[in-house]
Amino acid sequence: MTRPVVVQHSAGVPGANGPLTAVQRVLASPLADRYEFVRMHQSAGNGSLNVPLLREWVRLLRRVRPDLVHVRGLQNEGLHGVLAARLAGCRRILVTVHGTVRDLRQPGRPWRRRLLVHGAEPATLRMASHVGTVCEYAARRDFLRELGGKFVGVIPNGVPLPARPRASRDHVRAELGLRPDDVAMIAVSRLTWEKGYGVLADALRRLPPSTVRRPGQSGVRRVLLVAGDGPDRAGVAAALADSGEVEVRLLGNRLDVPDLLAAADLFVFPTLHENLSNALLEAMAHGLPVIASAVGGNVEVLRSGGGRLVPAGDPEALAGALSPLLDDSAERRHLGELGRKVVAEGYSLDVMLGSLDSVYQRIIGE
């Protein structure tokens, strides 16, 4: 029996964003035995309408004649994916919403934001035959209420659950120059102000000295590891350069994030807005306790345990949540165990693949 052809659209570079990571996991999953997957990928974003890219994708789609085109994202990249599918005559186009420009606190050029919010994003939704979201929060957004029968439900992000999440801990900590007694926080995201790095820098300066003592030491050393890169790297680096007694290390874009998570003790996620973060889920899957801002999908993930939520943009609240957890290894272990259970039950790779398979079958069956 011929397998249905499903085109997987993505954008970005490896290690830089969640949707691309999700695509790579889908392609390597057992779903590849059920569907014939075809990639439609672009490495760089589109500043404007990219006619050569559209032509390339239209030729590809007309050649493979897919049963379904799955486009991830609403912004300019998503618009190109949906428009190419329409021009190629594809009838089934699923768009999954991973974020929206309307949430940006520092949108850059106002005219471009207006163009995306009032032009590209609504057009992408209109041209889609089906729309899904990655979390309950996104599904309740005002701008998605008019979808009607297009909405196929929530397809949550999912991450692998490592059998031995701490297996590489000692080796990686040694490579990073971390001492056994150091308490290592980790942040994994694009380096943009939208991810709350200004708030984090302010919070770190507000931390009181560690109450944990070791013989011959004034206090346990606190270290912040930052994995990621992005357009605001220089400004973020300058902000974090003055972080009080916390030693900050910017590690750049990394492909070994699981090893870095194994080496860390606490995941910090002060983002100003979010749908459903793969980085958050991966940290919890590795048994790390989480301090995260109470926005978007963060709230629904952590409502069953695994960490602490703080108001977005509040450095005092962030410092107040970090301080006791940095000094309490038993509580860190307790929260980490709860978080791993939350991911195993609701956000594992198997859960995501099952949801995706169900939606694909339903759409293709129509």
Side-chain angles (χ1 to χ4, degrees):
M1 182 176 178
T2 305
R3 293 176 296 165
V5 177
V6 177
V7 170
Q8 296 284 339
H9 162 271
S10 58
V13 295
N17 69 56
L20 176 54
T21 300
V23 169
Q24 293 169 332
R25 287 170 176 162
V26 169
L27 294 174
S29 77
L31 290 186
D33 296 327
R34 183 185 291 267
Y35 305 97
E36 182 180 342
F37 289 133
V38 176
R39 294 292 302 277
M40 193 167 76
H41 178 76
Q42 62 184 104
S43 297
N46 293 310
S48 59
L49 195 64
N50 188 329
V51 175
L53 179 68
L54 280 174
R55 288 174 175 163
E56 176 187 338
W57 281 356
V58 169
R59 287 195 296 268
L60 168 69
L61 293 170
R62 285 176 175 167
R63 185 175 74 250
V64 303
R65 301 177 63 186
D67 297 278
L68 173 64
V69 179
H70 183 179
V71 175
R72 290 173 168 82
L74 281 184
Q75 299 180 23
N76 196 267
E77 292 81 1
L79 174 66
H80 279 71
V82 172
L83 183 55
R86 281 295 183 192
L87 291 173
C90 302
R91 294 187 298 114
R92 304 182 188 92
I93 308 168
L94 168 65
V95 170
T96 44
V97 178
H98 298 261
T100 168
V101 171
R102 69 196 67 220
D103 288 337
L104 297 181
R105 304 289 185 90
Q106 298 185 12
R109 293 168 289 183
W111 65 266
R112 189 172 190 276
R113 180 183 187 278
R114 289 194 295 271
L115 187 62
L116 290 171
V117 170
H118 302 292
E121 291 191 353
T124 300
L125 293 171
R126 283 196 301 271
M127 287 189 288
S129 62
H130 300 79
V131 177
T133 62
V134 295
C135 61
E136 298 166 11
Y137 161 77
R140 297 191 298 267
R141 298 294 297 270
D142 290 343
F143 73 96
L144 295 179
R145 286 181 178 172
E146 306 302 321
L147 292 175
K150 284 187 178 184
F151 185 61
V152 297
V154 176
I155 308 169
N157 290 339
V159 298
L161 201 70
R164 299 173 60 218
R166 298 301 202 182
S168 61
R169 178 177 174 84
D170 293 341
H171 170 69
V172 178
R173 283 177 72 93
E175 284 189 342
L176 293 170
L178 296 176
R179 298 190 292 256
D181 293 336
D182 289 345
V183 178
M185 297 171 276
I186 186 169
V188 181
S189 72
R190 292 185 74 230
L191 294 190
T192 72
W193 295 118
E194 302 291 334
K195 294 299 182 181
Y197 281 105
V199 180
L200 177 57
D202 195 350
L204 296 181
R205 289 190 292 270
R206 295 168 185 255
L207 287 174
S210 173
T211 61
V212 180
R213 296 289 185 269
R214 293 291 185 267
Q217 296 180 355
S218 58
V220 169
R221 184 172 65 163
R222 294 166 172 174
V223 179
L224 171 66
L225 308 173
V226 180
D229 206 343
D232 297 328
R233 178 187 174 91
V236 169
L240 291 173
D242 179 17
S243 297
E245 297 182 2
V246 177
E247 181 180 322
V248 177
R249 302 185 189 176
L250 299 181
L251 305 177
N253 205 33
R254 301 285 292 243
L255 299 179
D256 60 343
V257 169
D259 286 334
L260 297 177
L261 294 174
D265 301 290
L266 171 66
F267 185 79
V268 57
F269 193 45
T271 183
L272 303 180
H273 52 83
E274 195 68 34
N275 277 304
L276 186 59
S277 166
N278 277 294
L280 171 69
L281 299 178
E282 287 173 357
M284 294 171 68
H286 280 78
L288 289 183
V290 170
I291 301 293
S293 48
V295 295
N298 293 357
V299 178
E300 58 200 69
V301 171
L302 292 172
R303 64 189 170 196
S304 299
R308 304 275 187 263
L309 290 166
V310 298
D314 189 336
E316 185 174 354
L318 181 56
L322 281 170
S323 181
L325 207 53
L326 288 170
D327 289 341
D328 192 340
S329 59
E331 181 64 5
R332 291 199 300 268
R333 283 193 298 273
H334 172 66
L335 291 176
E337 289 168 2
L338 286 177
R340 187 169 158 85
K341 184 172 182 289
V342 167
V343 171
E345 293 177 351
Y347 301 98
S348 69
L349 186 57
D350 286 344
V351 169
M352 180 187 78
L353 294 174
S355 298
L356 203 58
D357 187 28
S358 177
V359 169
Y360 285 177
Q361 291 288 331
R362 191 186 345 154
I363 294 174
I364 292 172
E366 293 174 357

